Amino acid sequence: MSDDGGGFRWTVVVLTCQHKDSVYSFQRELEMRQQCGSLSPGSLVLTVQDRQEPLGSGGATLNALLVAAEHLSSRAGHTVVTADVLDEAHILILHSGRDFPWSSCSRAFCWLPAPERPDQRVQAPVCCLDLLLDRLGTQICSGSPPGVWVCSTDMILSIPPDFSLSWDGFSGVRVLALPGDASYAANHGVYLSDQQGRVRDIVYRGTQEQILQAVMHDGKVPLVSGPVFFSRSVSEKLLQTHVTPPLDGCTYLGLDSGAPPIKVSLFLDLLKCLCSDLTQDQFVTEDRAGCSSPVGPEGATVRRSRTELWRVLRGETVSLAYVPDGRYDYLTLSGKHHVERLCCDWTNRNTLSHIQSESSVDDGGRVINSVLEGDVTVRTGAVVQHCHLQGPLEVPSGCLLSGLQLMTSQCVGLLELADDIIIQGHRIEVGRLKLSVYTVTGAQDDLELSSDASSASFLNQRWSLFFSRTGIQPEELWVRGEGRSLLEARLFPVLLPRGGAVGLDGGVGWLLGGVGCLRRWREAWRLSLKEVMSLTCQEAELQWREELLFLAGRRRVTDALRSHTDVCLLPCFRAAVLGGQQGALLETLDSIAAGSGKQGAESGAELGVASRCLSCIADVLVCMAGGRGGLRSGPAANEAWSAAYFLLEEGDLRGGVKALATQRADWLSRPDLLVRAARHYEGAGQVLLRQAVMSSQRFISIGQGEVPPLEEWQEVECPARLDLAGGWSDTPPVTFEHGGSVTNVSVKVDGRRPIGARARRIRKPRLLLVSHTGGRGGVSTETVCDVLDDLRDHCQPHAPGALLKAVCVCSGLVSLSSQHALGDQLMQRWGGGVELHSWSVLPTGSGLGTSSILAGALLAAVYRCTGQTYDTDSLIHAVLYLEQILTTGGGWQDQVGGLVGGVKVGRCRASLPLQVEVERLTPPDDFLVSLELHLLLVYTGKTRLARNLLQDVVRSWYSRLPSMVQNVQQLVANSEECVRACSEGSLSRLGGCLDRSWQQKKLMAPGCEPASVRTMMEALRPLVLGQSLAGAGGGGFLYLLTREPRQREAVLQVLNNTPGLGDFSVHSVELDMNGITVLPPS
């Protein structure tokens, strides 16, 4: 099904309804579908009540067309109805039809157990109406010229995917027919057509001989199946009838003008008069089943109306569009057929429901828009819809429970239900009195069959057995002279004279053999199923369904977040906002985010859940802004939110979440405030995310050895890294919620390790921090820290010397929380100050992991100059910890790539605390030699903006966009394939991994491929086995795995001959097998 207006742009969509109280409710349903995207936002949607007297489908069509034309005329500025508005109009008229006993809101809004689509923007039910809109919009009506489509909503159409209609040169009327068996057609209508497809006649409930005349080439007969198209010229003729007596009696204008009502059938009047085999006399005087009789008291009016129809419409042709292999399923009054339809035609066991014990629902059971608490067993072939039930209870095979509230659970649980029983709760309105009434029938009962018939039954048993068991007399159910069908039997107690409303236990429960007595049943005011349907309050029914939908939705959200499932919640959030349920949803998310409140729980996985929750709240706020209010990304440091942030930073999760909610209440009044609040919730989520990642601190093991002499330099150098596959899967929260795998290689650039650091103890008790750009001999920036306050901005990435300051804090060189001054700490612990230098020959934003590798080098230099011992695993986790303190975020693959030599794979399990495990690969020696000869680096001249990319990726992951989840799975799989390619020495397979990795990076962060880089990669494609931008993309270095060795000159030639590339440069690559390297002291 489509979210883009069904694929067809309707000018007007009109839904007709039988009851006055349905107009508002059904109108809201149409508008909700327009907001959800299943109807075009530009369409005019209208709900029109039929005249109170039965008009028939033809009369309802004429009235609906008049209303549509009237609205279009008004919109065009006319003061009277004009047919000119039909010139370019595509009008759809849908008839909701008569009451349906198995769905309180007509067949149109009968829910179906259709699965949710992965691409669905707004979570919404699929009803018969929705299926029909989709079939019409995407298959049937596509390409049709201006005109009027008319269709009932009382059936389900299945159209083969390759079906299409040609509209070239079309005029007149077209009817759609689906195949059916001749036996089925005996109680239905069929079209008789000639060789050219023109309809000769329409036969309704015809004889076997008549039906067989309609047999098509496939042995089936063309059923009267619903969709009818009237071209522009015919539509104008239909519109004329509103001023043509007695046909004006079909319209509301006729009603207001005092015209008597007249019943007109769409098929047996409007279309029948166009059939080629009929004469005028036959059409006017023939007595047809299902139509007003041309004889009797109203006969003259009927004959006049038919004569006018013949005069107005005759001469137009009606053509048949037959759909071989299509399927037509009319929603009959058979309960058995309906239950089987829900269980057999659909495979979705759980439709928009929350089931506490999923294992209690058999594969063949169906639960639709319900909340099931505890042990509620639903057997194969059973259906529970629009119910809130609590176990223990069992729903046997063939049963249907519908519309039952939580308070009925105990009664249902005590009943020993047999198979094929239907129990329903209805919300009715009698005057101003709103009541709940319960009905029960057998699924095998024929509702319209007279109780005198031998096969008539109630609760799947003969009426005589029911009368004998209960003592009820037939005259207590039916008034003399009325029909004696089950549909009209006043079986169901509603009110007691002194006892108020009758619940399920005292009414239906007694009829099923439970508690109660005949006296109380007789005392009660009772209704028949037919009366219950006519008194049903559609607004209350739809409201009950909506309450259940959102309650189940909130519980599913809770389950998804607490169980860490990869379910995209955005459609649920959008639905809640459209339904005005955002308040309850936000409260639910607050509760989940606040956690269990157990002491110390915040140190574990609960922080990860809370962080995602805060991101979800940001999603809800943005949905509430409705596409207005500005960009999602932006600053998040407004003073009003600082108190909440402080509580979160201090580890008070529950207090912080509560403070956020309190502040949020002041930011809900305008779209711009909502978006700004969303930014601050994302900022709060980042606080918790950093705390979750900092759990990796437990894997840092630092010892104390001999402290080197004062003034002795401790120097380290590191290679850069090339990420071969799996990049982004190392990024929190992806890495600890899904699990990560990244394969990369350590490299020297232009023959040297490009990253380094050195440290020494100095006599003066201060910190002298020197950062070199452009290499060790390049421009230096010196920062001197004499007091602790000079280090306070260590967590602000853009502050002078921020990285070096963060290293001083995270390495334990000094303590910011100490009561002692900086100089005193340095003298007491280290006997003097520390001088710390860092450098890199790589440009900013290179994509080669510079900042993280540099952090590792700095930590190693500080540890060594202070006599502390460490291993590489500790350095890897220490960098991860440091980058959280520095608030730059990021993953772990950079430091793995630069600190561990050679080709290796880093992995992380889907759990907290976050632990990285590194496996060094041992490819064949000749592969390593060959790899080095085939690798080249090209500097693109573009600077990478990783922070913006990172924010978008984290947001998309938290939202669990299906495309994001699938891509992350493929990232990890590609990394493991890369491990196999390297281990087995296959350059060609490695090239494939590089290409896949780049495609996956682009899916992770759309926009990470600048136009000039795209041009560069296309130009180089003939020379390479694979290529990718290093790191997150967006700029920096492009690395190539060339088809032939030593391709530097060939690459330069191609690039020099490609215009528009800017300031690029080509660099050689050597594998570095050592990783971080300690140089001799100096």
Side-chain angles (χ1 to χ4, degrees), residues 77-99:
H78 301 292
T79 57
V80 295
V81 176
T82 172
D84 293 346
V85 297
L86 301 178
D87 288 346
E88 301 299 326
H90 297 270
I91 298 173
L92 174 62
I93 296 172
L94 299 169
H95 298 307
S96 62
R98 295 183 293 274
D99 294 324

Side-chain angles (χ1 to χ4, degrees), residues 287-365:
D287 204 350
R288 297 188 282 273
C291 295
S292 299
S293 175
V295 296
E298 305 297 327
T301 303
V302 172
R303 293 193 298 275
R304 281 178 57 213
S305 67
R306 292 181 177 180
T307 301
E308 285 300 320
L309 284 175
W310 186 273
R311 180 185 65 81
V312 171
L313 296 176
R314 192 63 179 181
E316 300 287 352
T317 59
V318 54
S319 56
L320 176 69
Y322 184 63
V323 187
D325 301 320
R327 181 167 173 257
Y328 171 81
D329 180 15
Y330 177 70
L331 274 64
T332 68
L333 297 183
S334 167
K336 184 74 171 176
H337 289 168
H338 188 61
V339 173
E340 289 176 348
R341 175 184 299 112
L342 297 179
C343 290
C344 300
D345 292 356
W346 309 87
T347 59
N348 203 35
R349 185 175 62 171
N350 178 342
T351 302
L352 298 176
S353 299
H354 182 260
I355 305 171
Q356 190 171 2
S357 177
E358 287 273 3
S359 60
S360 297
V361 179
D362 291 351
D363 287 340

Side-chain angles (χ1 to χ4, degrees), residues 12 154 157 173 276 282 288 402 506 520 531 607 612 639 691 701 709 806 863 902 944 969 1069 1082:
V12 187
D154 54 8
L157 299 179
V173 180
S276 59
Q282 286 176 315
R288 297 188 282 273
S402 179
R520 287 178 63 81
E531 290 168 329
L607 284 172
R612 185 182 175 190
E639 184 65 26
Q691 292 177 348
S701 178
Y863 289 148
R944 180 176 60 93
Q969 293 168 348
V1069 176
S1082 62

